[in-house]
Amino acid sequence: MKILVINTGSSSIKYQLFDMERHRILASGVAEKIGEDISILTHWNVSANGEDFKKVEEGVIADHHEGMDRILSLLIDPEHGVVGDKSEISAVGHRVVHGGETFHSPTIIDESVIAAIKENIPLAPLHNPSNLMGIEVAGAIFPDSPQVAVFDTAFHQTIPMESYLYAIPFELYEKHRIRRYGFHGTSHAYVAERAAEYLRRPLGELNLITIHLGNGASMAALKNGISVDTTMGMTPLAGLVMGTRSGDIDPALTFFLADQLRMSVKEIDDLLNKDSGLKGICGSNDMREVIRKKDAGDDRAEIALKLYCYRIKKYIGAYFAALGSLNAIIFTAGIGENSPYIREHCCQGLHKLGIKIDAERNKKSGKEIREISLASSEVRILVVPTNEELEIAQETEKVIEKIL
Ligand code: ADP
């Protein structure tokens, strides 16, 4: 079975085509700057003769429909393509950012699902409209392949009311669904499943803290394998210090910025989402750059890193308390998978909690799942490479197998 996974942004379409039987990626790529003067389509696949085929096309891609058409042309290209005909694509899996309280699991897309994703637009005004556009375009281009929506929020729909409610008038929750939702659900779910396999224990028996550190960053507390708390909130702005997002702040800061500094809502939104986090403190949002600056003696980079790790450490303590006991901590995504410095500083000084990192194991790099705790550490510490696209493909397969 071949499944196409699509992540549609306002001016981009990222895609991967999976061969589910062989657990292989057949093709992947991204169409960027759609609707701009020069769009770029970067494509990779393995040709029939086993060789890598790469292509970068520059030109105008007027809209998402044209973008998807161009992607399909590359996939079915008679010389280099990986499928003979689009009918070979059994299903299309879509990443959808916000499922609100409507969606607790991946869902076959029909008219009522489209309507419900539309209803959730106020919760994700930047993302859900783009995701809907991807659904519409893929529906038109692959009319005979079922489409499945996999929601970033769904995995966290198990969190109990005491961790998802904000202590503001209850009517705001009832009428406007203002509450914590949490994001990165596909990643937290994927790494938790891989960790359970690695530890040779059923996921349902494990208490885990999963730490996803990419450009966006979030943590989740999993009790018996189920999400019971997470750091992001109603939007992805809450929680950890991120590349350009502030994470947790005193909400009254926004009144100060508006009243004293006369900033508009839009300016405050941009400040907290685009100019804060690592970038706000030291001018760089890319972690490799921040570490390079720190190594060169930049004080601001050093304090940015301290703040970054301190926030994570604080949440490790909080989630340990929420869970009562802890089997493992899992680091994932660009920073979590690749930065020994960050992992070390997040775990430093937690011996009393049974969390002991092995400095030597932590330094080793690799693409596979690996353990970086000391043998004497009660809590195992793992690095688990995430694969959100594969998780979406697998979830899509599970959903469509039920209807085939
Ligand atoms: P996204 O959220 O866009 O998927 P990624 O998961 O790819 O992001 O993570 C991007 C982050 O990972 C960037 O801050 C980048 O600097 C960081 N990163 C990648 N490799 C390393 C490394 N070797 N050391 C430290 N940080 C790294």
Side-chain angles (χ1 to χ4, degrees), residues 212-216 285-289 291 333-335 338-339:
H212 176 109
L213 306 176
N215 284 312
N285 62 295
D286 187 291
M287 184 54 89
R288 282 166 293 199
E289 175 82 17
I291 293 177
I335 299 167
N338 296 303
S339 176

Side-chain angles (χ1 to χ4, degrees), residues 177-189:
R177 292 168 296 143
I178 294 178
R179 51 160 284 181
R180 179 190 307 284
Y181 289 96
F183 298 86
H184 292 142
T186 44
S187 179
H188 290 290

Side-chain angles (χ1 to χ4, degrees), residues 40 69 81 127 141 152 293 313:
I40 305 166
D69 251 343
H127 293 103
I141 293 180
D152 263 23
K293 279 179 155 182
K313 192 194 278 194

Side-chain angles (χ1 to χ4, degrees), residues 229-246:
D229 207 349
T230 189
T231 53
M232 283 179 167
M234 176 159 136
T235 77
L237 181 57
L240 303 181
V241 176
M242 305 179 219
T244 62
R245 289 179 224 151
S246 63

Side-chain angles (χ1 to χ4, degrees), residues 120-355:
N120 285 314
I121 286 178
L123 297 171
L126 295 180
H127 293 103
N128 274 21
S130 312
N131 300 156
L132 278 165
M133 192 151 51
I135 290 169
E136 193 188 312
V137 165
I141 293 180
F142 301 97
D144 300 323
S145 312
Q147 299 199 60
V148 173
V150 180
F151 299 91
D152 263 23
T153 48
F155 180 65
H156 301 299
Q157 275 297 298
T158 47
I159 67 181
M161 212 172 207
E162 64 268 27
S163 61
Y164 75 65
L165 261 197
Y166 295 121
I168 57 176
F170 195 72
E171 295 71 37
L172 288 171
Y173 166 61
E174 288 181 311
K175 286 200 192 126
H176 301 284
R177 292 168 296 143
I178 294 178
R179 51 160 284 181
R180 179 190 307 284
Y181 289 96
F183 298 86
H184 292 142
T186 44
S187 179
H188 290 290
Y190 180 82
V191 298
E193 284 159 19
R194 297 291 82 75
E197 284 166 12
Y198 179 89
L199 297 169
R200 296 174 191 275
R201 299 265 308 270
L203 180 57
E205 285 179 7
L206 293 173
N207 286 357
L208 305 171
I209 295 176
T210 48
I211 308 180
H212 176 109
L213 306 176
N215 284 312
S218 71
M219 290 170 60
L222 275 54
K223 194 172 181 74
N224 299 323
I226 282 173
S227 179
V228 291
D229 207 349
T230 189
T231 53
M232 283 179 167
M234 176 159 136
T235 77
L237 181 57
L240 303 181
V241 176
M242 305 179 219
T244 62
R245 289 179 224 151
S246 63
D248 293 340
I249 54 163
D250 176 346
L253 274 189
T254 52
F255 319 146
F256 184 92
L257 295 171
D259 293 340
Q260 304 294 323
L261 304 187
R262 301 268 169 244
M263 290 177 75
S264 66
V265 171
K266 168 82 174 73
E267 284 168 338
I268 297 173
D269 186 331
D270 282 351
L271 177 110
L272 296 176
N273 273 298
K274 297 183 184 161
D275 293 323
S276 295
L278 296 171
K279 183 181 173 195
I281 303 287
C282 74
S284 305
N285 62 295
D286 187 291
M287 184 54 89
R288 282 166 293 199
E289 175 82 17
V290 179
I291 293 177
R292 266 198 296 273
K293 279 179 155 182
K294 185 263 307 169
D295 289 341
D298 183 322
D299 292 345
R300 292 274 200 92
E302 187 171 355
I303 191 65
L305 290 168
K306 279 191 175 156
L307 222 137
Y308 188 92
C309 295
Y310 177 69
R311 183 83 49 90
I312 294 169
K313 192 194 278 194
K314 215 157 72 165
Y315 270 111
I316 291 176
Y319 285 173
F320 202 130
L323 293 170
S325 68
L326 183 61
N327 298 103
I329 292 175
I330 296 153
F331 284 96
T332 192
I335 299 167
E337 291 167 30
N338 296 303
S339 176
Y341 177 91
I342 296 294
R343 293 191 299 255
E344 184 191 335
H345 286 80
C346 294
C347 294
Q348 229 167 34
L350 298 179
H351 285 199
K352 285 267 165 68
L353 296 182
I355 299 167

